[in-house]
Amino acid sequence: MASEAFKLTYATMFNPPEELHTRFDQALTKVKANLGKEHGMIIDGKERFSTEKFEDRSPSNTDIVLGVFQKGTAQDAADAIAAARKAFPTWSHTPWQERVKLIRAAADLMDQRIFEMGAALAMEVGKNRTEALGDVAETADLFRYACLQMQKNKGFVTRMGRDPLVGYKATNISVLRPYGVWLVISPFNFPAALTGGPTGAALVTGNPVVIKPATDTPWTARLIAECLRDAGVPDGVFNYVTGPGSTLGQALIEHPDVCGVTFTGSYDVGMKIFRDFAKGKWVRPTILELGGKNPAIVSRHADLESAAVGIVRSAFGLQGQKCSACSRILVEAPVYDKLVSRLVELTEKLTIGDPIDRAVYMGPVVNRNSYRDFQNFCEEINQEGKILTGGKVLVEGAYAKGYFCAPTLAELPLRHRLWKHEMFVPISTLARVDSLAEAMQIANSVDYGLTAGFYGSRKETEWFFDQIEAGVTYANRPQGATTGAWPGFQPFGGWKGSGSSGKNAGGVHYVQLYMHEQIHTLITKT
Ligand code: NDP
């Protein structure tokens, strides 16, 4: 957010200045007055409409139609890829300084439009207002961070050493160059940052993109695309298509002219994309950012208040639908009862409702499938475990037309399958452990390795950082046990089944993933 004294991040968002609320409310009124409009796809700079459409409805009140979007076809996929391919020679040869200028201009537009975009995002995803504004602010910062990396590395043109020739002089230069048409497929939960982040990195490095957002969140992605368009990014350099992953998404993945993909979403879809994409003629870069089953470990030496606050924020922020959500809580026996009673107390204080309301912390889950998942998981937990709080959907009064679920903490035997399954709803499971070594063994025993949190003594934190198998790790953090990464501060990515590249977004090694290396050796006679 553009304010001198206040920088909005997921760690600072809890007590924003009053101005943030006033401006959000003004934007909300404006955005609400324009609901229900039809939005095209953007292919080669032109609006594209298809015969079949779909409605984007608010998960807080499914009577509200936010917008009508196009159900893109395989032909639209092919046209978008063709437009990007046509744009590649010019875009890849546009000086990187020029590309940086355009991407920075798009980031500036996001800053200017943050309240309108945040209001739309809050209604579309069911995200509370500060988290929604954070999603937009993060996108602008991801754009800027990618630009900064290009600048710091002088466009990734590096003079190398030379062989000691007699009678000749060699000049060896390493140049990183773009691949070509880049596909960005994004999930519903951070529709701005996870659409925009990879898009900004692909564009600034010289790759034209085709963006395919989640069917639950086409509107936010369209607003990102509009920032690119209005900043002056040329026609065909970015293309935005909407429609089902199973048809349109699949057609994009199977197209032979795609040179690289960044997919953020579930493990199952990501692995399918990985296998399908591998059927091409040669190996192409496949950046996968997948699910998580993120643990918080609490030592007997922990500051329990910090632990309780951090865990509740990470378990239930965005209704547990963050890839970084804290879904496993492992507590040393001597402090278990005390911590658990505080966790339950804080959880029961969370305000649940329409997330555009300033007092609300938790909104609805995103759609009917997630709502059903929540109910099924609760039923399953009830059979073998014990629900300490929550465990039910909310259906009365203001909750009647949305997908509202009570934040749920549950004890569950450690052999239960849900200890290893990403539920992606507001449910966290707890277990008492006899030692930190036992907690670590459990923490690392899943296929995922995205984020992890720890609360304990200084010496223990060093051990935690050394032992944990995860890409983003936090110690003694009340702002969030496992959530709240920010570009440039906590670059974000996962190990094992949580990610493929081993390099984190918003970090120093990220934009390089979007380029391949070429060595220029020039010999001159001396
Ligand atoms: P999904 O995997 O269901 O969908 C992600 C995207 O893939 C959507 O745009 C979807 O389209 C598309 N898609 C689905 N099938 C195909 C296909 N066959 N070919 C091409 N595209 C396809 O994920 P969700 O949207 O439900 O997001 C939640 C998941 O994302 C969680 O597992 C979460 O952990 C993970 N995630 C990971 C992050 C990370 O950084 N590691 C960050 C955020 C989320 P459609 O919507 O039309 O089905």
Side-chain angles (χ1 to χ4, degrees):
M1 186 203 161
S3 161
E4 292 311 310
F6 179 70
K7 160 97 183 146
L8 179 69
T9 75
Y10 298 128
T12 65
M13 68 185 175
F14 304 104
N15 287 307
E18 193 54 30
E19 183 207 348
L20 180 141
H21 289 297
T22 317
R23 293 186 65 188
F24 185 89
D25 286 329
Q26 287 164 351
L28 194 58
T29 311
K30 225 164 97 187
V31 171
K32 274 185 164 175
N34 282 298
L35 294 181
K37 289 198 170 151
E38 181 167 352
H39 303 276
M41 299 184 279
I42 302 175
I43 298 176
D44 206 9
K46 289 168 204 71
E47 297 283 339
R48 167 78 62 98
F49 295 90
S50 48
T51 12
E52 281 194 75
K53 325 269 175 200
F54 66 96
E55 286 176 342
D56 183 13
R57 286 176 181 263
S58 165
S60 307
N61 178 346
T62 55
D63 284 352
I64 300 173
V65 177
L66 303 172
V68 175
F69 290 83
Q70 312 304 312
K71 206 165 175 182
T73 61
Q75 187 58 51
D76 297 315
D79 292 348
I81 290 166
R85 194 167 180 217
K86 190 177 74 181
F88 180 59
T90 308
W91 185 243
S92 57
H93 289 95
T94 300
W96 63 265
Q97 294 90 336
E98 194 55 38
R99 295 198 301 257
V100 160
K101 232 187 252 168
L102 286 168
I103 300 306
R104 284 217 171 107
D108 290 345
L109 284 178
M110 283 172 209
D111 279 349
Q112 286 164 28
R113 298 175 184 180
I114 184 169
F115 291 100
E116 283 79 11
M117 289 173 74
L121 201 156
M123 281 190 275
E124 187 175 48
V125 186
K127 200 174 267 211
N128 75 34
R129 56 170 66 185
T130 46
E131 295 246 17
L133 293 169
D135 198 343
V136 182
E138 183 188 4
T139 315
D141 275 9
L142 283 164
F143 271 40
R144 294 200 181 95
Y145 199 78
C147 292
L148 183 72
Q149 289 309 308
M150 286 303 277
Q151 246 173 349
K152 273 194 169 168
N153 294 283
K154 301 186 173 63
F156 292 93
V157 178
T158 310
R159 193 172 278 273
M160 307 302 292
R162 57 170 71 129
D163 6 23
L165 303 173
V166 178
Y168 297 93
K169 182 181 157 201
T171 312
N172 299 319
I173 295 173
S174 155
V175 186
L176 293 191
R177 305 187 69 173
Y179 283 95
V181 178
W182 202 279
L183 205 54
V184 173
I185 301 181
S186 55
F188 76 85
N189 63 343
F190 285 81
L194 298 175
T195 306
T199 297
L203 289 177
V204 82
T205 49
N207 305 277
V209 295
V210 177
I211 298 167
K212 206 289 296 167
T215 295
D216 284 315
T217 52
W219 192 17
T220 305
R222 163 92 203 188
L223 297 174
I224 299 282
E226 288 176 8
C227 289
L228 292 167
R229 180 194 64 195
D230 299 346
V233 176
D235 292 353
V237 169
F238 74 94
N239 301 274
Y240 155 86
V241 292
T242 49
S246 53
T247 52
L248 175 74
Q250 190 66 31
L252 290 166
I253 285 294
E254 286 174 4
H255 201 290
D257 290 343
V258 173
C259 300
V261 60
T262 305
F263 167 84
T264 313
S266 60
Y267 174 85
D268 288 345
V269 175
M271 290 306 289
K272 175 176 168 28
I273 284 179
F274 179 69
R275 293 185 180 110
D276 290 351
F277 204 56
K279 290 180 186 151
K281 265 190 181 167
W282 55 75
V283 177
R284 293 163 294 170
T286 316
I287 304 176
L288 304 174
E289 311 286 358
L290 309 178
K293 189 69 186 171
N294 313 295
I297 299 176
V298 184
S299 139
R300 66 191 76 198
H301 302 119
D303 173 336
L304 294 187
E305 188 56 20
S306 289
V309 171
I311 288 170
V312 168
R313 282 177 170 161
S314 289
F316 302 124
L318 185 53
Q319 300 75 262
Q321 303 169 113
K322 295 184 187 176
C323 48
S324 54
C326 178
S327 52
R328 298 183 291 156
I329 307 163
L330 303 163
V331 190
E332 276 205 293
V335 292
Y336 183 83
D337 291 336
K338 196 165 172 209
L339 179 73
V340 170
S341 80
R342 186 68 180 134
L343 287 172
V344 169
E345 192 182 354
L346 289 174
T347 302
E348 289 176 351
K349 277 192 190 150
L350 295 174
T351 41
I352 308 165
D354 189 340
I356 56 179
D357 184 339
R358 71 179 282 176
V360 165
Y361 184 73
M362 279 183 69
V365 294
V366 73
N367 57 29
R368 185 169 295 282
N369 282 347
S370 296
Y371 195 56
R372 280 207 201 105
D373 282 351
F374 175 84
Q375 294 170 76
N376 292 338
F377 292 139
C378 287
E379 219 176 286
E380 210 180 326
I381 290 169
N382 263 324
Q383 282 164 20
E384 280 200 65
K386 182 178 164 201
I387 290 182
L388 304 176
T389 183
K392 55 181 193 306
V393 291
L394 306 172
V395 292
E396 301 294 326
Y399 299 128
K401 290 184 173 171
Y403 303 122
F404 293 95
C405 307
T408 301
L409 291 170
E411 286 173 336
L412 198 59
L414 280 162
R415 63 182 148 69
H416 198 282
R417 75 166 194 108
L418 291 182
W419 275 103
K420 301 202 174 189
H421 179 80
E422 185 189 45
M423 292 186 264
F424 226 58
V425 289
I427 301 177
S428 245
T429 52
L430 301 114
R432 187 192 303 261
V433 292
D434 290 327
S435 68
L436 290 181
E438 184 192 357
M440 186 60 75
Q441 186 276 323
I442 297 165
N444 286 340
S445 69
V446 295
D447 291 339
Y448 293 112
L450 192 51
T451 72
F454 180 78
Y455 297 88
S457 71
R458 183 67 198 252
K459 192 152 186 353
E460 288 169 340
T461 62
E462 283 164 28
W463 169 85
F464 164 75
F465 287 134
D466 190 51
Q467 297 294 315
I468 192 73
E469 295 168 3
V472 188
T473 64
Y474 305 97
N476 297 337
R477 189 162 176 266
Q479 292 80 8
T482 59
T483 52
W486 199 263
F489 304 153
Q490 295 95 6
F492 194 80
W495 291 11
K496 294 154 68 177
S498 295
S500 68
S501 74
K503 303 289 180 292
N504 294 3
V508 290
H509 311 293
Y510 186 69
V511 290
Q512 294 91 322
L513 300 174
Y514 292 80
M515 295 175 283
H516 43 190
E517 188 166 9
Q518 188 173 56
I519 301 299
H520 300 172
T521 290
L522 174 70
I523 300 290
T524 42
K525 278 188 179 169
T526 54

